[in-house]
Amino acid sequence: MSGTRISRGGTVFHRTYSVLVFVVLASLDNVAIGLVPPLYEPISGALGVPQRLLGLVTAVSFLASAVAAVGWAYVGDRTNRKPLLMVGTLIWAAGTGGSALAQDYPSFLAAQLVAAVGLGAVGSVGFSVVTDLISPRRRGLVMSFWGLSQGVGTLAGTLTGGILGATDWRRPFLLLTVVGLAATVAYLFTYDIRRGQSEPELAAALDAGAEYDHRISRADLPRILARRTNRWLILQGLTAQAAFGSLVWLPVLFAERAREQGYSAATAVVVGSVFATLFQLGGVLSIVGGLAGDALQRRTPGGRALVAAVGILAAVPFYLVLFFVPMRIDVPDGAGSGAVIRAVLASVATEPTVGLSLLTAVVALALTSANSPNWFALIADVNPPEHRGTVYSLGNLVNGVGRAAGNGLVGVAFHALRVAFPPPLNYAVGLAAFQLFFIPTGIMYWRAARTSPGDIEAVHELLHARAGRL
């Protein structure tokens, strides 16, 4: 590498632009995911179905996206990844546009499933690309931005759905369709990132003009699952995402609290979306979790997994407090979205119960956000370049199952709890119960902290051997 050029990889500006495109576009799948829950009530009214059926749409979409990601990732680990990302983006944009045009429940469900299939490409193939741009020493930090972009996407989806869709639920879907088409254009100007180019063991050979030509095959799948750390990283998603999946109902919880205090349905939707967005700001601190993972990993080979384990387990009490702290909501009923938003923001300083709730939420989200960057970085650490997209997608598949279960079953739990607990208490009790799934998640990360040192060393030895042959 000399001057401002990256050997055979374009200028520094081109490389930086490519990273930014992939990270920003990774947030869009979560925008699509976060868009629907704040609009459950208006969509259910327009399509003539109960809200729990829309919760089912979200749950099935999680699962469909995760299943599709496995296929996208396997093909991406074998072929050119850039065209796959462009095709996947066009598919989810088409599905999102179809959602805006749906006139009944079956067509809305079908459009959401089409979008989910396209979204499967963005995360899995994009992850494989980004890991080839990051040195192992900085994986936690850069992956925190990758994970943060997804969290920001969820916030943007929640806020866009609640505010832009308060009076017309179709508008947010139309806006996201336009963004998806613009994203496809952005892909055209990224360069084709070479597989393995971030690995120190391969640097000399690749700079000399060699090509890392190893590609995944079906015979590699048993070896992938034989790595003990992979098993823990994949399985933890089942319980972690059951808890995370339930949290998409946060806007509903706070909207119900507003309705309990006498606010109209339209105002309650905006209030729920704004509060849920504010309370998820702790996810920004995933950068701290990534930095902590990098720092501890340099001191001990199991450091990343230990950071994730401590963060996940320490967050549980804060979540339990968050759902039961009483809140006094004081906003102008029937006013425009801007006036309601300003009133909610002002209440953080003027209403102690709102300030306490926000503080509790930020701490809880900050602790659990240590999961994301260290999970991404560990997948890259314990797998060679040609396996990473597939391992990510397998983990994402289990994540999708867990998230679908959490999102779908918590809706059933809310309905069942109404017998003993009137709204919004039924939502608080149900959400609190589902956060207990974080406990087995933390235990599995602790086990990964014991297995990852050996698996990381095995990957280093494998890449050294391949560099010699190159």
Side-chain angles (χ1 to χ4, degrees):
M1 181 169 60
S2 63
T4 60
R5 295 198 65 80
I6 304 298
S7 61
R8 304 186 66 208
T11 64
V12 169
F13 173 80
H14 199 188
R15 176 181 174 131
T16 303
Y17 167 79
S18 299
V19 173
L20 289 175
V21 168
F22 288 120
V23 170
V24 170
L25 295 178
S27 70
L28 292 180
D29 59 348
N30 286 270
V31 172
I33 289 169
L35 201 62
V36 179
L39 300 174
Y40 280 167
E41 184 172 344
I43 295 176
S44 68
L47 302 183
V49 295
Q51 288 191 41
R52 64 178 179 273
L53 287 185
L54 293 175
L56 180 63
V57 171
T58 304
V60 172
S61 296
F62 285 151
L63 187 57
S65 179
V67 171
V70 177
W72 287 110
Y74 184 78
V75 175
D77 280 341
R78 293 179 59 85
T79 60
N80 190 339
R81 297 170 289 192
K82 184 173 178 178
L84 290 179
L85 286 167
M86 295 179 68
V87 171
T89 302
L90 286 173
I91 291 174
W92 77 250
T96 302
S99 300
L101 301 176
Q103 299 299 317
D104 52 39
Y105 181 76
S107 60
F108 182 79
L109 173 60
Q112 285 285 289
L113 290 177
V114 170
V117 170
L119 289 171
V122 177
S124 60
V125 182
F127 172 82
S128 173
V129 172
V130 172
T131 59
D132 284 328
L133 282 167
I134 307 167
S135 70
R137 287 178 58 84
R138 291 287 177 246
R139 275 181 182 148
L141 174 61
V142 178
M143 283 304 178
S144 70
F145 287 106
W146 175 268
L148 178 60
S149 74
Q150 297 180 337
V152 169
T154 301
L155 294 181
T158 300
L159 199 58
T160 302
I163 295 175
L164 191 60
T167 55
D168 182 0
W169 67 267
R170 300 180 190 274
R171 287 190 297 179
F173 293 95
L174 292 173
L175 174 63
L176 191 56
T177 301
V178 174
V179 173
L181 296 175
T184 307
V185 175
Y187 278 135
L188 292 173
F189 300 99
T190 62
Y191 75 93
D192 291 324
I193 298 160
R194 292 180 298 153
R195 212 178 303 268
Q197 72 179 46
S198 67
E199 303 303 323
E201 296 88 350
L202 302 174
L206 294 179
D207 285 345
E211 288 290 342
Y212 185 82
D213 58 1
H214 292 274
R215 298 292 182 268
I216 195 171
S217 67
R218 283 176 293 192
D220 290 337
L221 297 178
R223 287 193 286 272
I224 287 173
L225 295 176
R227 293 187 195 109
R228 292 175 298 169
T229 308
N230 279 344
R231 295 200 295 267
W232 293 122
L233 293 177
I234 291 171
L235 288 174
Q236 64 80 33
L238 194 62
T239 53
Q241 295 302 322
F244 284 127
S246 69
L247 293 177
V248 302
W249 286 83
L250 270 178
V252 179
L253 169 64
F254 296 114
E256 286 295 327
R257 284 183 172 176
R259 289 170 68 97
E260 182 189 36
Q261 295 179 33
Y263 289 97
S264 64
T267 299
V269 168
V270 177
V271 168
S273 298
V274 176
F275 271 124
T277 302
L278 281 176
F279 290 176
Q280 293 182 62
L281 290 177
V284 173
L285 296 176
S286 64
I287 296 171
V288 177
L291 285 170
D294 281 343
L296 194 56
Q297 187 72 18
R298 288 193 286 269
R299 298 182 61 181
T300 174
R304 295 195 201 282
L306 285 174
V307 169
V310 171
I312 287 287
L313 292 173
V316 173
F318 290 95
Y319 276 117
L320 298 182
V321 170
L322 169 64
F323 302 134
F324 294 103
V325 171
M327 286 177 53
R328 181 179 177 274
I329 299 169
D330 186 10
V331 299
D333 193 20
S337 296
V340 174
I341 292 171
R342 287 191 296 272
V344 170
L345 294 177
S347 69
V348 173
T350 60
E351 178 54 52
T353 59
V354 174
L356 177 60
S357 295
L358 178 60
L359 177 62
T360 304
V362 168
V363 173
L365 267 295
L367 290 169
T368 51
S369 68
N371 173 19
S372 176
N374 291 294
W375 185 76
F376 291 135
L378 276 167
I379 288 176
D381 286 345
V382 303
N383 291 283
E386 71 275 13
H387 289 175
R388 289 170 186 165
T390 298
V391 175
Y392 171 90
S393 70
L394 290 172
N396 197 49
L397 175 60
V398 175
N399 287 352
V401 172
R403 199 167 189 179
N407 181 260
L409 293 178
V410 77
V412 176
F414 294 149
H415 185 70
L417 287 168
R418 288 177 69 99
V419 175
F421 305 102
L425 188 56
N426 64 318
Y427 292 99
V429 173
L431 285 170
F434 270 73
Q435 305 323 297
L436 298 178
F437 284 110
F438 279 134
I439 295 175
T441 303
I443 293 172
M444 283 187 270
Y445 269 116
W446 177 77
R447 296 298 299 270
R450 304 186 65 181
T451 61
S452 58
D455 288 333
I456 291 171
E457 182 60 30
V459 170
H460 288 323
E461 293 174 358
L462 175 66
L463 294 180
H464 272 301
R466 288 178 174 176
R469 290 194 292 271
L470 289 175

